[in-house]
Structures are given as C-alpha cells and as structure tokens.
Coordinates of all heavy atoms in Angstrom, one line a residue:
M1 N -33.9 74.5 161.6 CA -35.3 74.7 161.7 C -36.1 73.5 161.2 O -37.1 73.1 161.8 CB -35.7 76.0 160.9 CG -37.1 76.5 161.2 SD -37.3 77.0 162.8 CE -38.6 78.0 162.7
A2 N -35.6 72.9 160.1 CA -36.3 71.7 159.6 C -36.1 70.5 160.5 O -37.1 69.7 160.6 CB -35.6 71.4 158.2
A3 N -35.0 70.4 161.2 CA -34.8 69.3 162.1 C -35.8 69.5 163.3 O -36.4 68.4 163.8 CB -33.4 69.3 162.7
M4 N -36.1 70.7 163.7 CA -37.1 70.9 164.8 C -38.5 70.5 164.3 O -39.2 69.9 165.1 CB -37.1 72.4 165.2 CG -38.0 72.6 166.3 SD -37.6 71.8 167.9 CE -36.4 72.9 168.5
A5 N -38.8 70.8 163.1 CA -40.1 70.5 162.5 C -40.2 68.9 162.4 O -41.3 68.4 162.8 CB -40.3 71.1 161.2
V6 N -39.2 68.3 162.0 CA -39.2 66.8 162.0 C -39.4 66.2 163.4 O -40.2 65.3 163.6 CB -37.9 66.3 161.3 CG1 -37.8 64.8 161.4 CG2 -37.9 66.7 159.8
L7 N -38.6 66.7 164.3 CA -38.7 66.2 165.7 C -40.1 66.4 166.3 O -40.7 65.5 166.9 CB -37.7 67.0 166.6 CG -37.7 66.5 168.1 CD1 -37.3 65.1 168.2 CD2 -36.8 67.5 168.9
L8 N -40.7 67.6 166.1 CA -42.1 67.8 166.6 C -43.1 67.0 165.9 O -44.0 66.5 166.5 CB -42.4 69.3 166.4 CG -41.7 70.3 167.3 CD1 -42.0 71.7 167.0 CD2 -42.0 70.0 168.8
T9 N -42.9 66.7 164.6 CA -43.8 65.8 163.8 C -43.7 64.4 164.4 O -44.7 63.8 164.6 CB -43.5 65.9 162.3 OG1 -43.6 67.2 161.9 CG2 -44.4 65.0 161.5
L10 N -42.5 63.9 164.6 CA -42.3 62.6 165.1 C -43.0 62.5 166.5 O -43.6 61.4 166.9 CB -40.9 62.2 165.2 CG -40.2 61.9 163.8 CD1 -38.7 61.7 164.0 CD2 -40.9 60.8 163.1
M11 N -42.8 63.5 167.4 CA -43.4 63.5 168.7 C -44.9 63.4 168.6 O -45.6 62.7 169.3 CB -43.0 64.7 169.5 CG -41.5 64.6 170.0 SD -40.9 66.1 170.7 CE -42.1 66.4 172.0
L12 N -45.5 64.2 167.6 CA -46.9 64.3 167.4 C -47.5 62.9 167.0 O -48.5 62.4 167.5 CB -47.3 65.3 166.4 CG -48.7 65.5 166.1 CD1 -49.5 66.0 167.3 CD2 -48.9 66.4 164.9
I13 N -46.8 62.3 166.0 CA -47.2 60.9 165.6 C -47.1 59.9 166.7 O -48.0 59.1 166.8 CB -46.3 60.5 164.3 CG1 -46.6 61.4 163.1 CG2 -46.5 59.1 164.0 CD1 -45.7 61.2 162.0
T14 N -46.1 60.0 167.5 CA -45.9 59.1 168.6 C -47.1 59.2 169.6 O -47.7 58.2 170.1 CB -44.6 59.3 169.3 OG1 -43.5 59.1 168.4 CG2 -44.4 58.3 170.5
V15 N -47.4 60.5 170.0 CA -48.5 60.7 170.9 C -49.8 60.2 170.3 O -50.6 59.6 171.0 CB -48.5 62.2 171.3 CG1 -49.8 62.5 172.0 CG2 -47.3 62.6 172.1
A16 N -50.0 60.5 169.0 CA -51.3 60.1 168.4 C -51.4 58.5 168.4 O -52.4 58.0 168.6 CB -51.4 60.6 167.0
G17 N -50.3 57.9 168.1 CA -50.3 56.4 168.1 C -50.5 55.8 169.4 O -51.3 54.8 169.6
L18 N -49.9 56.4 170.4 CA -50.2 55.9 171.8 C -51.6 56.2 172.2 O -52.2 55.4 173.0 CB -49.2 56.6 172.8 CG -47.7 56.1 172.7 CD1 -46.8 56.9 173.6 CD2 -47.6 54.6 173.0
S19 N -52.2 57.3 171.8 CA -53.6 57.6 172.1 C -54.5 56.6 171.5 O -55.5 56.1 172.1 CB -54.0 59.0 171.6 OG -53.2 59.9 172.3
V20 N -54.2 56.2 170.2 CA -55.1 55.2 169.6 C -54.9 53.8 170.3 O -55.9 53.1 170.6 CB -54.6 55.0 168.1 CG1 -55.3 53.8 167.5 CG2 -55.0 56.3 167.3
L21 N -53.7 53.4 170.7 CA -53.5 52.2 171.4 C -54.2 52.2 172.7 O -54.9 51.2 173.1 CB -52.0 52.0 171.6 CG -51.6 50.8 172.4 CD1 -52.0 49.5 171.7 CD2 -50.1 50.8 172.8
N22 N -54.2 53.3 173.4 CA -54.9 53.5 174.7 C -56.4 53.3 174.5 O -57.0 52.7 175.3 CB -54.6 54.9 175.3 CG -55.2 55.0 176.7 OD1 -55.2 54.1 177.4 ND2 -55.6 56.2 177.0
S23 N -56.9 53.9 173.5 CA -58.4 53.8 173.2 C -58.8 52.3 172.9 O -59.8 51.8 173.4 CB -58.8 54.6 172.0 OG -58.6 56.0 172.2
V24 N -58.0 51.6 172.2 CA -58.3 50.2 171.9 C -58.2 49.4 173.1 O -59.1 48.5 173.4 CB -57.3 49.7 170.8 CG1 -57.5 48.2 170.6 CG2 -57.5 50.4 169.5
V25 N -57.2 49.5 173.9 CA -57.0 48.8 175.1 C -58.1 49.0 176.1 O -58.7 48.1 176.7 CB -55.6 49.0 175.8 CG1 -55.5 48.4 177.2 CG2 -54.5 48.5 174.9
L26 N -58.5 50.3 176.3 CA -59.5 50.6 177.3 C -60.9 50.1 176.8 O -61.7 49.7 177.6 CB -59.6 52.2 177.5 CG -58.5 52.7 178.4 CD1 -58.6 54.2 178.5 CD2 -58.5 52.0 179.7
D27 N -61.1 50.3 175.5 CA -62.4 49.8 174.9 C -62.5 48.3 175.1 O -63.6 47.8 175.6 CB -62.5 50.1 173.4 CG -63.8 49.7 172.8 OD1 -64.9 50.1 173.4 OD2 -63.8 48.9 171.9
T28 N -61.5 47.6 174.9 CA -61.5 46.1 175.1 C -61.6 45.7 176.5 O -62.4 44.8 176.9 CB -60.2 45.5 174.5 OG1 -60.1 45.9 173.1 CG2 -60.3 44.0 174.5
R29 N -60.9 46.4 177.4 CA -60.9 46.1 178.8 C -62.3 46.4 179.4 O -62.7 45.7 180.3 CB -59.8 46.9 179.5 CG -59.5 46.5 180.9 CD -58.3 47.3 181.4 NE -58.3 47.1 182.8 CZ -57.4 46.6 183.5 NH1 -56.3 46.1 182.9 NH2 -57.4 46.5 184.8
E30 N -62.9 47.5 179.0 CA -64.2 47.8 179.6 C -65.3 46.8 179.1 O -66.3 46.7 179.8 CB -64.6 49.2 179.1 CG -63.9 50.3 179.8 CD -64.2 51.7 179.3 OE1 -65.0 51.8 178.3 OE2 -63.7 52.7 179.8
R31 N -65.1 46.2 178.0 CA -66.1 45.3 177.4 C -65.7 43.8 177.6 O -66.2 42.9 177.0 CB -66.2 45.6 176.0 CG -66.8 47.0 175.7 CD -66.9 47.3 174.3 NE -67.7 46.4 173.6 CZ -67.7 46.2 172.3 NH1 -66.9 46.9 171.6 NH2 -68.5 45.3 171.7
I32 N -64.8 43.5 178.6 CA -64.4 42.1 178.8 C -65.5 41.2 179.1 O -65.6 40.1 178.6 CB -63.3 42.1 179.9 CG1 -61.9 42.1 179.5 CG2 -63.5 41.1 181.0 CD1 -61.2 41.2 178.8
R33 N -66.4 41.6 179.9 CA -67.6 40.8 180.3 C -68.5 40.5 179.1 O -68.9 39.4 178.8 CB -68.4 41.4 181.4 CG -69.6 40.6 181.9 CD -70.1 41.0 183.2 NE -69.2 40.5 184.2 CZ -69.1 41.0 185.4 NH1 -69.8 42.0 185.8 NH2 -68.2 40.5 186.3
D34 N -68.7 41.6 178.3 CA -69.5 41.4 177.1 C -68.9 40.5 176.1 O -69.6 39.6 175.5 CB -69.8 42.8 176.4 CG -70.5 43.8 177.3 OD1 -71.2 43.3 178.2 OD2 -70.3 45.0 177.0
L35 N -67.6 40.6 175.9 CA -66.9 39.7 175.0 C -66.9 38.3 175.5 O -67.0 37.4 174.7 CB -65.4 40.2 174.8 CG -65.3 41.6 174.1 CD1 -63.9 42.1 174.2 CD2 -65.8 41.6 172.7
G36 N -66.8 38.1 176.8 CA -66.9 36.8 177.4 C -68.3 36.1 177.1 O -68.4 34.9 176.8
V37 N -69.3 36.9 177.2 CA -70.7 36.4 176.9 C -70.8 36.0 175.5 O -71.4 35.0 175.1 CB -71.8 37.5 177.3 CG1 -73.1 37.1 176.8 CG2 -71.8 37.7 178.8
C38 N -70.2 36.9 174.6 CA -70.3 36.6 173.2 C -69.5 35.3 172.9 O -70.0 34.4 172.1 CB -69.7 37.7 172.4 SG -70.6 39.2 172.3
K39 N -68.4 35.1 173.5 CA -67.6 33.8 173.4 C -68.4 32.6 173.9 O -68.4 31.6 173.3 CB -66.3 33.9 174.1 CG -65.4 32.8 173.8 CD -64.0 33.0 174.4 CE -63.1 31.8 174.1 NZ -61.8 32.0 174.7
A40 N -69.1 32.8 175.0 CA -69.9 31.7 175.6 C -71.1 31.3 174.7 O -71.4 30.1 174.7 CB -70.4 32.1 177.0
I41 N -71.6 32.2 174.0 CA -72.7 31.8 173.1 C -72.3 31.4 171.7 O -73.1 31.1 170.8 CB -73.8 33.0 173.0 CG1 -73.2 34.2 172.3 CG2 -74.4 33.3 174.3 CD1 -74.2 35.3 172.0
G42 N -70.9 31.3 171.5 CA -70.4 30.6 170.3 C -69.8 31.6 169.3 O -69.6 31.2 168.2
M43 N -69.5 32.7 169.7 CA -68.8 33.7 168.7 C -67.3 33.2 168.5 O -66.6 32.9 169.5 CB -68.9 35.1 169.3 CG -68.5 36.2 168.4 SD -68.7 37.8 169.2 CE -69.9 38.5 168.1
S44 N -66.9 33.2 167.3 CA -65.5 32.8 167.0 C -64.6 33.9 167.3 O -65.0 35.1 167.4 CB -65.4 32.4 165.5 OG -65.5 33.6 164.7
P45 N -63.3 33.6 167.5 CA -62.3 34.7 167.7 C -62.3 35.7 166.6 O -62.1 36.9 166.9 CB -61.0 33.9 167.8 CG -61.3 32.5 168.3 CD -62.7 32.3 167.6
R46 N -62.5 35.3 165.4 CA -62.5 36.2 164.3 C -63.6 37.2 164.4 O -63.5 38.4 164.2 CB -62.5 35.5 163.0 CG -62.7 36.4 161.8 CD -62.6 35.6 160.5 NE -61.3 36.0 160.0 CZ -60.8 35.6 158.9 NH1 -61.5 34.8 158.1 NH2 -59.6 35.9 158.5
Q47 N -64.8 36.7 164.8 CA -66.0 37.6 165.0 C -65.8 38.5 166.1 O -66.2 39.7 166.1 CB -67.2 36.7 165.2 CG -67.7 35.9 164.0 CD -68.8 35.0 164.3 OE1 -68.8 34.4 165.4 NE2 -69.7 34.8 163.4
T48 N -65.1 38.0 167.2 CA -64.8 38.9 168.3 C -63.9 40.0 167.9 O -64.1 41.2 168.3 CB -64.2 38.1 169.5 OG1 -65.1 37.0 169.8 CG2 -64.0 38.9 170.7
M49 N -62.8 39.7 167.2 CA -61.9 40.7 166.7 C -62.6 41.7 165.8 O -62.4 42.9 165.9 CB -60.8 40.0 165.9 CG -59.7 41.0 165.4 SD -58.6 41.6 166.6 CE -57.6 40.2 166.8
S50 N -63.5 41.2 164.9 CA -64.2 42.1 164.1 C -65.1 43.1 164.9 O -65.2 44.3 164.6 CB -65.1 41.3 163.1 OG -64.3 40.6 162.2
L51 N -65.7 42.6 165.9 CA -66.6 43.4 166.8 C -65.8 44.5 167.4 O -66.2 45.7 167.4 CB -67.2 42.5 167.9 CG -68.1 43.2 168.9 CD1 -69.4 43.7 168.2 CD2 -68.5 42.3 170.0
V52 N -64.6 44.2 167.9 CA -63.8 45.2 168.6 C -63.3 46.2 167.5 O -63.3 47.4 167.8 CB -62.6 44.5 169.3 CG1 -61.6 45.5 169.8 CG2 -63.1 43.7 170.5
L53 N -62.8 45.7 166.4 CA -62.3 46.6 165.4 C -63.4 47.6 164.8 O -63.1 48.7 164.6 CB -61.7 45.8 164.2 CG -60.3 45.2 164.6 CD1 -59.8 44.4 163.4 CD2 -59.3 46.2 165.0
V54 N -64.6 47.1 164.7 CA -65.7 47.9 164.2 C -66.0 49.0 165.2 O -66.2 50.2 164.9 CB -66.9 47.1 163.9 CG1 -68.2 48.0 163.7 CG2 -66.7 46.3 162.6
S55 N -66.0 48.6 166.5 CA -66.3 49.7 167.5 C -65.2 50.7 167.6 O -65.5 51.9 167.7 CB -66.6 49.0 168.9 OG -65.4 48.5 169.4
V56 N -64.0 50.3 167.5 CA -62.9 51.2 167.6 C -62.9 52.1 166.3 O -62.6 53.3 166.4 CB -61.5 50.5 167.8 CG1 -60.3 51.4 167.6 CG2 -61.5 49.8 169.1
T57 N -63.2 51.5 165.2 CA -63.2 52.3 163.9 C -64.3 53.4 164.0 O -64.1 54.5 163.6 CB -63.4 51.4 162.7 OG1 -62.4 50.4 162.7 CG2 -63.5 52.2 161.4
A58 N -65.5 53.0 164.6 CA -66.6 53.9 164.7 C -66.2 55.1 165.6 O -66.5 56.2 165.3 CB -67.8 53.2 165.3
I59 N -65.5 54.8 166.7 CA -65.0 55.8 167.6 C -64.1 56.8 166.9 O -64.2 58.0 167.0 CB -64.4 55.2 168.9 CG1 -65.4 54.6 169.7 CG2 -63.6 56.3 169.6 CD1 -64.8 53.7 170.9
G60 N -63.2 56.2 166.1 CA -62.2 57.0 165.3 C -62.9 57.9 164.3 O -62.5 59.1 164.1
V61 N -63.9 57.3 163.6 CA -64.6 58.1 162.5 C -65.4 59.3 163.2 O -65.3 60.4 162.7 CB -65.5 57.2 161.7 CG1 -66.4 58.0 160.8 CG2 -64.6 56.3 160.8
I62 N -66.1 59.0 164.3 CA -66.8 60.0 164.9 C -65.9 61.1 165.5 O -66.2 62.3 165.3 CB -67.7 59.4 166.1 CG1 -68.8 58.6 165.5 CG2 -68.3 60.5 167.0 CD1 -69.5 57.7 166.5
G63 N -64.8 60.7 166.1 CA -63.8 61.7 166.5 C -63.2 62.5 165.4 O -63.0 63.7 165.6
G64 N -63.0 61.9 164.3 CA -62.5 62.7 163.1 C -63.5 63.6 162.6 O -63.2 64.8 162.2
L65 N -64.8 63.2 162.5 CA -65.8 64.1 162.0 C -66.0 65.3 162.9 O -66.5 66.3 162.5 CB -67.1 63.3 161.9 CG -67.2 62.2 160.7 CD1 -68.4 61.4 160.8 CD2 -67.0 62.9 159.4
I66 N -65.8 65.1 164.2 CA -65.9 66.2 165.1 C -64.6 67.0 165.2 O -64.6 68.3 165.2 CB -66.3 65.7 166.5 CG1 -67.7 65.1 166.5 CG2 -66.2 66.8 167.6 CD1 -68.0 64.4 167.8
G67 N -63.5 66.3 165.2 CA -62.2 67.0 165.4 C -61.7 67.8 164.2 O -61.1 68.9 164.4
V68 N -61.9 67.3 163.0 CA -61.3 68.1 161.9 C -62.0 69.4 161.7 O -61.4 70.4 161.6 CB -61.4 67.2 160.6 CG1 -61.1 68.0 159.3 CG2 -60.4 66.0 160.7
P69 N -63.4 69.5 161.6 CA -64.0 70.8 161.5 C -63.7 71.7 162.7 O -63.5 72.9 162.5 CB -65.5 70.5 161.5 CG -65.6 69.1 161.0 CD -64.4 68.4 161.6
A70 N -63.6 71.1 163.9 CA -63.3 71.9 165.1 C -61.9 72.5 165.0 O -61.7 73.7 165.3 CB -63.5 71.1 166.4
G71 N -61.0 71.7 164.6 CA -59.6 72.2 164.4 C -59.5 73.2 163.3 O -58.8 74.2 163.5
Y72 N -60.2 73.0 162.2 CA -60.2 74.0 161.1 C -60.8 75.3 161.6 O -60.2 76.4 161.4 CB -61.0 73.5 160.0 CG -61.1 74.4 158.8 CD1 -60.1 74.3 157.8 CD2 -62.1 75.2 158.6 CE1 -60.1 75.2 156.7 CE2 -62.2 76.1 157.5 CZ -61.2 76.0 156.5 OH -61.2 76.8 155.5
A73 N -61.9 75.3 162.3 CA -62.5 76.5 162.8 C -61.7 77.2 163.9 O -61.5 78.4 163.8 CB -63.9 76.2 163.5
L74 N -61.1 76.5 164.8 CA -60.2 77.1 165.8 C -59.0 77.7 165.2 O -58.5 78.8 165.6 CB -59.8 76.1 166.9 CG -61.0 75.7 167.8 CD1 -60.5 74.6 168.7 CD2 -61.4 76.9 168.6
H75 N -58.4 77.0 164.2 CA -57.2 77.6 163.5 C -57.6 78.9 162.8 O -56.8 79.8 162.8 CB -56.7 76.5 162.5 CG -55.5 76.9 161.8 ND1 -55.5 77.3 160.4 CD2 -54.2 77.0 162.2 CE1 -54.3 77.6 160.1 NE2 -53.5 77.5 161.1
S76 N -58.7 78.9 162.1 CA -59.1 80.1 161.4 C -59.4 81.2 162.4 O -59.0 82.3 162.1 CB -60.4 79.7 160.6 OG -60.9 80.9 160.0
L77 N -60.1 80.9 163.5 CA -60.3 81.9 164.5 C -59.0 82.5 165.1 O -58.9 83.7 165.2 CB -61.2 81.3 165.6 CG -61.5 82.2 166.8 CD1 -62.4 83.4 166.3 CD2 -62.2 81.4 167.9
G78 N -58.1 81.6 165.3 CA -56.8 82.0 165.9 C -56.0 82.9 165.0 O -55.5 84.0 165.4
L79 N -56.0 82.6 163.7 CA -55.3 83.5 162.7 C -56.0 84.8 162.6 O -55.3 85.9 162.5 CB -55.2 82.8 161.3 CG -54.2 81.7 161.2 CD1 -54.2 81.1 159.8 CD2 -52.8 82.2 161.5
R80 N -57.3 84.8 162.6 CA -58.0 86.1 162.5 C -57.8 87.0 163.7 O -57.6 88.2 163.6 CB -59.5 85.9 162.3 CG -59.9 85.4 160.9 CD -61.3 85.5 160.6 NE -61.6 84.9 159.3 CZ -62.1 83.7 159.2 NH1 -62.4 82.9 160.2 NH2 -62.2 83.2 157.9
R81 N -57.8 86.3 164.9 CA -57.5 87.1 166.1 C -56.1 87.7 166.1 O -55.9 88.8 166.6 CB -57.8 86.3 167.3 CG -59.3 85.9 167.5 CD -59.5 85.4 168.8 NE -59.5 86.5 169.8 CZ -60.1 86.5 170.9 NH1 -60.8 85.5 171.2 NH2 -60.0 87.5 171.7
W82 N -55.2 86.9 165.7 CA -53.8 87.4 165.6 C -53.7 88.6 164.7 O -53.1 89.6 165.0 CB -52.8 86.3 165.2 CG -52.4 85.4 166.2 CD1 -52.8 85.4 167.5 CD2 -51.6 84.2 166.0 NE1 -52.2 84.3 168.2 CE2 -51.5 83.6 167.3 CE3 -51.0 83.7 164.9 CZ2 -50.8 82.4 167.4 CZ3 -50.3 82.5 165.1 CH2 -50.2 81.9 166.4
A83 N -54.4 88.5 163.5 CA -54.3 89.6 162.6 C -55.1 90.8 163.1 O -54.6 91.9 162.9 CB -54.9 89.1 161.2
D84 N -56.2 90.6 163.8 CA -56.9 91.7 164.4 C -56.2 92.5 165.4 O -56.2 93.7 165.5 CB -58.3 91.2 165.0 CG -59.3 90.8 163.9 OD1 -59.0 91.1 162.7 OD2 -60.2 90.1 164.3
H85 N -55.4 91.8 166.2 CA -54.6 92.4 167.3 C -53.2 92.8 166.9 O -52.4 93.2 167.7 CB -54.6 91.5 168.5 CG -55.9 91.3 169.1 ND1 -56.7 92.3 169.6 CD2 -56.6 90.1 169.4 CE1 -57.8 91.8 170.1 NE2 -57.8 90.5 169.9
E86 N -52.9 92.6 165.6 CA -51.6 93.0 165.0 C -50.5 92.3 165.7 O -49.4 92.9 165.9 CB -51.5 94.5 165.0 CG -52.5 95.1 164.1 CD -52.3 96.6 164.0 OE1 -51.4 97.2 164.7 OE2 -53.0 97.2 163.2
I87 N -50.7 91.1 166.2 CA -49.6 90.4 166.8 C -48.6 89.9 165.7 O -47.4 90.0 165.8 CB -50.1 89.1 167.6 CG1 -50.9 89.6 168.8 CG2 -48.9 88.2 168.0 CD1 -51.6 88.5 169.5
L88 N -49.2 89.5 164.6 CA -48.4 89.3 163.4 C -48.4 90.5 162.5 O -49.0 91.5 162.8 CB -49.1 88.1 162.6 CG -49.2 86.8 163.3 CD1 -49.9 85.8 162.4 CD2 -47.8 86.2 163.6
D89 N -47.6 90.4 161.5 CA -47.5 91.5 160.5 C -49.0 91.9 160.1 O -49.7 91.1 159.6 CB -46.7 91.1 159.3 CG -46.4 92.2 158.3 OD1 -46.9 93.4 158.6 OD2 -45.7 92.0 157.4
P90 N -49.4 93.2 160.2 CA -50.8 93.5 159.8 C -51.1 93.3 158.4 O -52.3 93.2 158.1 CB -50.8 95.0 160.1 CG -49.6 95.4 160.7 CD -48.6 94.3 160.7
G91 N -50.2 93.1 157.5 CA -50.5 92.8 156.1 C -50.9 91.4 155.9 O -51.3 91.0 154.8
L92 N -50.8 90.5 156.9 CA -51.1 89.1 156.7 C -52.6 88.9 156.7 O -53.3 89.5 157.4 CB -50.4 88.2 157.7 CG -48.9 88.2 157.7 CD1 -48.4 87.4 158.9 CD2 -48.4 87.6 156.5
S93 N -53.0 88.0 155.8 CA -54.4 87.6 155.8 C -54.8 86.6 156.9 O -53.9 85.9 157.4 CB -54.7 87.0 154.4 OG -56.0 86.4 154.4
G94 N -56.0 86.6 157.3 CA -56.5 85.7 158.3 C -57.0 84.4 157.7 O -57.7 83.6 158.4
D95 N -56.8 84.1 156.4 CA -57.3 82.9 155.8 C -56.7 81.7 156.5 O -55.5 81.6 156.7 CB -56.9 82.9 154.3 CG -57.4 81.7 153.6 OD1 -58.4 81.2 154.0 OD2 -56.9 81.4 152.5
A96 N -57.6 80.7 156.8 CA -57.2 79.6 157.6 C -56.1 78.7 156.9 O -55.4 78.0 157.6 CB -58.4 78.8 158.0
L97 N -56.1 78.6 155.6 CA -55.2 77.7 154.9 C -53.9 78.4 154.4 O -53.1 77.7 153.8 CB -55.9 77.0 153.8 CG -57.1 76.1 154.2 CD1 -57.8 75.5 153.0 CD2 -56.6 75.0 155.1
E98 N -53.8 79.6 154.7 CA -52.6 80.4 154.2 C -51.4 80.1 155.1 O -51.5 80.1 156.3 CB -52.9 81.9 154.1 CG -51.8 82.7 153.6 CD -52.1 84.1 153.5 OE1 -53.2 84.5 153.9 OE2 -51.2 84.9 153.2
F99 N -50.3 79.8 154.5 CA -49.1 79.6 155.3 C -48.5 80.9 155.6 O -48.2 81.7 154.7 CB -48.1 78.7 154.5 CG -46.8 78.5 155.3 CD1 -46.8 77.7 156.3 CD2 -45.7 79.2 154.9 CE1 -45.6 77.5 157.0 CE2 -44.5 79.1 155.6 CZ -44.5 78.2 156.7
V100 N -48.4 81.2 156.9 CA -47.9 82.6 157.3 C -46.4 82.5 157.7 O -45.9 83.6 157.9 CB -48.8 83.2 158.4 CG1 -50.1 83.4 157.9 CG2 -48.8 82.3 159.6
G101 N -45.8 81.4 157.9 CA -44.5 81.3 158.3 C -44.3 81.6 159.8 O -45.3 81.7 160.5
P102 N -43.1 81.8 160.2 CA -42.9 82.1 161.7 C -43.6 83.5 162.0 O -43.5 84.4 161.2 CB -41.4 82.1 161.8 CG -40.9 82.3 160.5 CD -41.9 81.8 159.5
P103 N -44.1 83.6 163.2 CA -44.7 84.9 163.6 C -43.6 86.0 163.6 O -42.5 85.8 164.0 CB -45.2 84.6 165.1 CG -45.2 83.1 165.2 CD -44.2 82.6 164.2
R104 N -44.1 87.1 163.2 CA -43.2 88.3 163.2 C -43.8 89.4 164.0 O -45.0 89.8 163.7 CB -43.0 88.8 161.7 CG -42.2 87.8 160.9 CD -42.1 88.3 159.5 NE -43.4 88.5 159.0 CZ -43.7 88.6 157.7 NH1 -42.8 88.6 156.8 NH2 -45.0 88.8 157.3
A105 N -43.1 90.0 164.9 CA -43.7 91.1 165.7 C -43.7 92.3 164.9 O -42.8 92.5 164.0 CB -42.9 91.2 167.0
V106 N -44.7 93.2 165.1 CA -44.8 94.4 164.4 C -43.6 95.3 164.8 O -43.3 95.5 165.9 CB -46.1 95.1 164.7 CG1 -46.1 96.5 164.0 CG2 -47.3 94.3 164.3
G107 N -42.9 95.8 163.8 CA -41.7 96.6 164.0 C -40.4 95.9 164.3 O -39.4 96.5 164.6
A108 N -40.4 94.5 164.2 CA -39.2 93.7 164.4 C -38.3 93.9 163.3 O -38.7 94.1 162.1 CB -39.6 92.3 164.6
P109 N -37.0 93.9 163.5 CA -36.0 94.1 162.4 C -36.1 92.9 161.5 O -36.3 91.8 161.9 CB -34.7 94.2 163.1 CG -34.9 93.6 164.5 CD -36.3 93.8 164.8
T110 N -35.9 93.2 160.2 CA -35.9 92.1 159.2 C -34.5 91.8 158.9 O -33.5 92.6 159.0 CB -36.7 92.5 158.0 OG1 -36.0 93.6 157.4 CG2 -38.1 92.8 158.3
T111 N -34.3 90.5 158.3 CA -32.9 90.1 157.9 C -32.7 90.4 156.4 O -31.6 90.2 156.0 CB -32.8 88.6 158.1 OG1 -33.8 87.9 157.4 CG2 -32.9 88.3 159.6
S112 N -33.7 90.9 155.7 CA -33.5 91.2 154.3 C -32.8 92.5 154.0 O -32.5 92.8 152.9 CB -34.8 91.1 153.5 OG -35.7 92.2 154.0
G113 N -32.6 93.3 155.0 CA -31.9 94.6 154.8 C -32.7 95.7 154.5 O -32.3 96.8 154.1
T114 N -34.1 95.5 154.5 CA -35.0 96.6 154.1 C -35.5 97.3 155.3 O -35.5 96.8 156.4 CB -36.2 96.1 153.3 OG1 -36.9 95.2 154.1 CG2 -35.7 95.6 152.0

C-alpha cells in the first residue's frame, strides 16, 4: 500500500512539473515578439529573464491563491457528501482535514475480528 502511495505521489509531482514547464514555454513563446522589441530597445538578457520569471511567478501565485481554497472547499464538500450518503462509515466526521483512511462500505466485513 505504501509503494502505491509513493508511485502515485511521484506521478503527481511529474505531472505538476511538466505543467509548470509547459506554462513557462507557452508564456515565452506567446511573447516572443514583445521580448524581441524589449531586446531591440536595449534590454539586457538578465532583464529579459527577470521579466519572464516575474510573469510566470505571478501566474503561479494567482493560480495558487485560487486553487488552494477551491481544493480545500471541494475536498470538504466531498467528505460531507460521502458522510451524508453513508458511502463511508456513518460514524466518520465530514471535517475536511481529518484523515479517514481507505473508504469502507457500510456493512463490509472488518479484519479486526469484531
């Protein structure tokens, strides 16, 4: 079970890294003409790199400010809906930060012998 969690985590990190790379490449590619104009008026390579990094950082910060609260809210909503429909053990709380472990169907046999 732990190996599966590690594998899924590595896949998630890989996808996230490729998404960031894709954003940087697309942002730079879309602004090629603007960057050429900046170079023509005397902008140094260091200034050009700073311009690109600031814009990509701003996109990341805005995405994080939108994505983290949205993910928190959706996670909380999902746990509450599961608890309301008794998909999980009805005794589980719908608190968004509570670790509930693997889903257990109501009436499923337990391994503890009870």
